[in-house]
Amino acid sequence: MITIRHLKKVYPNVTPLKDVNTEINKGDVISIIGPSGTGKSTLLRCLNRLEMPTAGEIIVDGENIVDPACNIFKVREKMGMVFQSFNLFSHLMIIENIMLGPVDLLKHSRQQAFDEGMNLLKMVGLADKAYAYPDELSGGQKQRVAIARTLAMQPEIILFDEPTSALDPTMVGEVLAVIRSLAEKGLTMLIVTHEMKFAADVSTRVFYMDEGVIYEDGTPEQIFQRPQREKTRAFIKHLKVLSYKITSRNFDFIKLNILIEEFGKKQLLSAQQIYDLQLCFEEVCMQNLLPALPEKFALTLSIEYSEAEGSIEMLFKYDGPRLEPFANGDELSMMLVRKKTKAIDFTYQEQQNYFSLKL
């Protein structure tokens, strides 16, 4: 239904979209996740031309909507949008809010628009609020009305821009339940959301956006269980990461020890945990890896702390021939490291060594 090629959006001080490319098929339910400021909402606003892209193409049902000759109003008849802030007309009753678009734009009779509006209010559980005004509703109820109003325009595609971000936690569930029921009806939907569990449950695809692009695109299982790229993994697992590259045996060992200590304190690790990290680094790297690596090497140390799980992982990545630290290494080092760790893993693929410790 939608093809996006080399989409770019530039503002005076920032470029949220640098080079977005993807295809969206009929019936796809796509959750768009990622850190704040990575262009998620900007992507939706470009899709319905609330924002004019700086460059690139957006082709909807064969028509390039970036072309100045495109009738964007016809395209928007196929594409509804639900905003964070509801945008209901406060001087109109709920049923009038829903009837407005079908009567004015689709040229439905008032009776037809009323009947269809009442059916939609029943679907979102708010038929008893038809004659109320928006100010008489809770935030969750207003958002459900906003969804019903969008559906009244009979769109083929619905864009949701963080539909629960303005709601109290107690109201989030009722809105997500409505969106989940729409997903089961086969509508094509793109949902910018911070609700990870909901995204995992309802989506057919997940976009992780970062660096101005769709950084990783996959099924919910792939993105949430087996992310392929480091930034995706860090975001999904709520990881705090310290990374340090070593290219010389004469690197500043004291500086790195201080960085490990500062990182540990920032994550509120105990003094014992910080000491264990420093000890494991010294035994693996200083006593085993550096003496065995070739003259020219590149070794990257990463320490990952998962806020969600309270776990710590230390990863050593280095290229060259297969070199497992403790295969023929120092037995005392191996004994010390094993006492401090819960699991040790080594893999070798495509001329890369990966040695990890879970503390």
Side-chain angles (χ1 to χ4, degrees), residues 185-238:
K185 297 179 187 296
L187 277 167
T188 303
M189 299 193 290
L190 283 83
I191 309 162
V192 173
T193 183
H194 292 290
E195 303 286 342
M196 297 297 109
K197 186 177 186 309
F198 168 75
D201 289 346
V202 79
S203 310
T204 58
R205 290 165 70 187
V206 177
F207 292 169
Y208 173 72
M209 290 193 68
D210 209 330
E211 299 181 6
V213 300
I214 297 174
Y215 186 82
E216 191 163 349
D217 171 5
T219 65
E221 184 183 8
Q222 289 168 337
I223 297 297
F224 290 107
Q225 302 298 326
R226 301 188 308 279
Q228 298 299 302
R229 305 191 68 183
E230 289 184 11
K231 284 193 175 182
T232 314
R233 182 169 169 269
F235 180 81
I236 295 299
K237 295 183 177 294
H238 302 286

Side-chain angles (χ1 to χ4, degrees), residues 114-210:
F114 175 83
D115 293 341
E116 290 171 350
M118 289 303 296
N119 286 333
L120 289 169
L121 284 174
K122 287 176 187 174
M123 189 193 81
V124 299
L126 291 172
D128 62 331
K129 301 293 184 182
Y131 302 109
Y133 287 88
D135 289 347
E136 300 173 50
L137 272 56
S138 69
Q141 290 170 331
K142 289 177 186 176
Q143 193 61 289
R144 283 188 277 160
V145 171
I147 293 170
R149 181 185 56 184
T150 298
L151 292 171
M153 293 298 293
Q154 300 172 356
E156 298 173 31
I157 303 159
I158 305 180
L159 311 177
F160 292 90
D161 187 10
E162 299 192 47
T164 61
S165 67
L167 303 178
D168 292 337
T170 55
M171 301 174 187
V172 169
E174 62 193 63
V175 174
L176 296 183
V178 171
I179 299 174
R180 186 176 281 109
S181 71
L182 296 178
E184 293 169 357
K185 297 179 187 296
L187 277 167
T188 303
M189 299 193 290
L190 283 83
I191 309 162
V192 173
T193 183
H194 292 290
E195 303 286 342
M196 297 297 109
K197 186 177 186 309
F198 168 75
D201 289 346
V202 79
S203 310
T204 58
R205 290 165 70 187
V206 177
F207 292 169
Y208 173 72
M209 290 193 68
D210 209 330

